[in-house]
Amino acid sequence: QVQLRESGGGLVPAGGSLRLSCVTSGSKFSHNSMAWYRQAPGKEREFVARVTVGTSTHYADSVKGRFTISRDGAKNTAYLQMDSLKPEDTAVYYCNADVTVPGWGAREYWGQGTQVTVSS
């Protein structure tokens, strides 16, 4: 079993910064990629950013130039540095991990989510 644990959410004024972390733990696995998604009230969950094991990164247009995703393979941790935050960034942010588990193949896991609130 693989678990994801997010941290770093909170309340920040517009223009401020936050750094989210997501730690993957559990039985033997290897990462294929890690990503962040978000879901605002009344809206569907949307993609924010992804980093592959080869450290390629991809971003939603709405966060390009403001958010930076990275990963520390040794710590099985992904980070999302969020700068120049806007009120429209307010949402629950979810960590997503695409991993390969020996004997099980590729599987996708989600964290429980962390609230980010940006005040205007």
Side-chain angles (χ1 to χ4, degrees):
Q1 188 74 347
V2 174
Q3 297 87 36
L4 304 182
R5 185 178 76 252
E6 301 122 328
S7 60
L11 174 65
V12 62
S17 298
L18 280 175
R19 187 194 195 206
L20 306 183
S21 300
C22 175
V23 180
T24 309
S25 62
S27 55
K28 290 184 178 181
F29 62 89
S30 59
H31 279 114
N32 299 315
S33 67
M34 295 189 75
W36 291 93
Y37 288 72
R38 67 186 182 187
Q39 187 167 18
K43 295 187 177 182
E44 294 189 353
R45 191 173 297 189
E46 64 175 5
F47 169 77
V48 175
R50 173 175 287 107
V51 58
T52 68
V53 68
T55 67
S56 295
T57 56
H58 307 272
Y59 296 93
D61 288 343
S62 59
V63 306
K64 278 181 182 176
R66 300 188 297 121
F67 290 11
T68 303
I69 189 171
S70 60
R71 63 183 291 269
D72 183 332
K75 296 181 179 180
N76 289 321
T77 300
Y79 305 97
L80 185 67
Q81 177 66 41
M82 304 186 293
D83 299 317
S84 302
L85 282 161
K86 304 175 182 179
E88 51 263 43
D89 293 318
T90 295
V92 177
Y93 283 70
Y94 295 91
C95 179
N96 170 277
D98 183 340
V99 304
T100 297
V101 179
W104 290 86
R107 292 205 159 194
E108 189 176 40
Y109 293 90
W110 292 89
Q112 79 287 352
T114 184
Q115 177 70 47
V116 171
T117 303
V118 184
S119 61
S120 56

